[in-house]
Amino acid sequence: GLILTDALTMHAVSKNFDERQAAERALLGGSDILLVPSETKKLVYHLMSRVEADPVLAAAAAAALKRWKRAQEKAGAGEPEPGSFALVGGPEHKAQAAKMAEACLAWAGGPACLAKTIRYAEPACAPEDWGGLAFVSELKALGADVRPADGPLKEGETLVLGCLLTPRAYTGRIRFDEEGEAAPAQALLSLAKDPVIVSFGSPFVFEAFRGWSAGLCSFSPNEAAQKAAARALLGRLNITGRMPVTLSLR
């Protein structure tokens, strides 16, 4: 696969490095794609001049280009043909999105296979404001009985806690506030036997909770990711992805 940097305009980068320096270091470190520079043209011209002057940087850039072309060939992609963007949102595009979503799924703990009777909740979120509606709809379409979790569970019911914290440039978060929004969800988890947590975004949300038996991360809240998570938890998919981070679990 290809290695992408985070946005070069992110404060974690821009407050510590000059953008040109950050780009050079990223290429030397093995990155293939430099995301969201603040001044794209200036950075391109800078790198062109530096590649001519520095053989080590030139070799790194050439290796990145080789990996990019190999990835294009493997994916059967090339330069976009006229009108190809009309495929976006169509059946072929959705089929590919579904395959990618399935490949991204990873267990944070577990694995688990849900019972047919599911009680679902999201931290600090009423059912009418749930962000995981595609997940719930897919569970129902696959035959599960899904209802809001609003109290102690009965025998044979599984509690599923859906979490939708998604990092974004300059916005978003990767962790819950354990003393605030996570506290009511933790109280709900404490009432359940072998609860399951699903993260449709940050893998670090699992660190805020204790007492759960299995965790599944889709890394994205989009419809394809939510549907893939539902199929996996009902035993319809074989999960082969791996967590990219080491979690500090309670």
Side-chain angles (χ1 to χ4, degrees), residues 5-54:
T5 67
D6 203 339
L8 297 181
T9 52
M10 289 285 286
H11 286 170
V13 177
S14 62
K15 286 186 175 182
N16 293 285
F17 301 96
D18 173 81
E19 185 168 273
R20 295 170 297 180
Q21 181 187 34
E24 289 183 31
R25 288 192 175 195
L27 285 173
L28 291 171
S31 293
D32 301 305
I33 300 174
L34 307 174
L35 287 184
V36 196
S38 60
E39 296 183 280
T40 305
K41 288 185 178 180
K42 286 186 178 181
L43 181 59
V44 169
Y45 287 127
H46 167 77
L47 291 175
M48 288 171 63
S49 64
R50 290 289 295 124
V51 162
E52 291 180 358
D54 185 342

Side-chain angles (χ1 to χ4, degrees), residues 130-193:
W130 283 346
L133 292 178
F135 172 70
V136 171
S137 295
E138 186 71 2
L139 288 173
K140 291 180 177 180
L142 294 172
D145 174 16
V146 187
R147 301 176 190 175
D150 50 10
L153 274 70
K154 299 177 181 178
E155 188 69 28
E157 295 180 339
T158 301
L159 173 65
V160 177
L161 183 68
C163 302
L164 290 99
L165 284 190
T166 53
R168 292 287 185 273
Y170 306 113
T171 62
R173 293 175 296 148
I174 62 172
R175 289 180 173 87
F176 282 116
D177 173 10
E178 294 180 21
E179 301 300 322
E181 60 197 334
Q186 180 59 62
L188 192 59
L189 289 171
S190 301
L191 297 174
K193 180 182 179 181

Side-chain angles (χ1 to χ4, degrees), residues 208-224:
F209 304 106
R210 60 185 180 277
W212 48 275
S213 65
L216 178 66
C217 195
S218 73
F219 303 98
S220 171
N222 67 37
E223 182 179 352

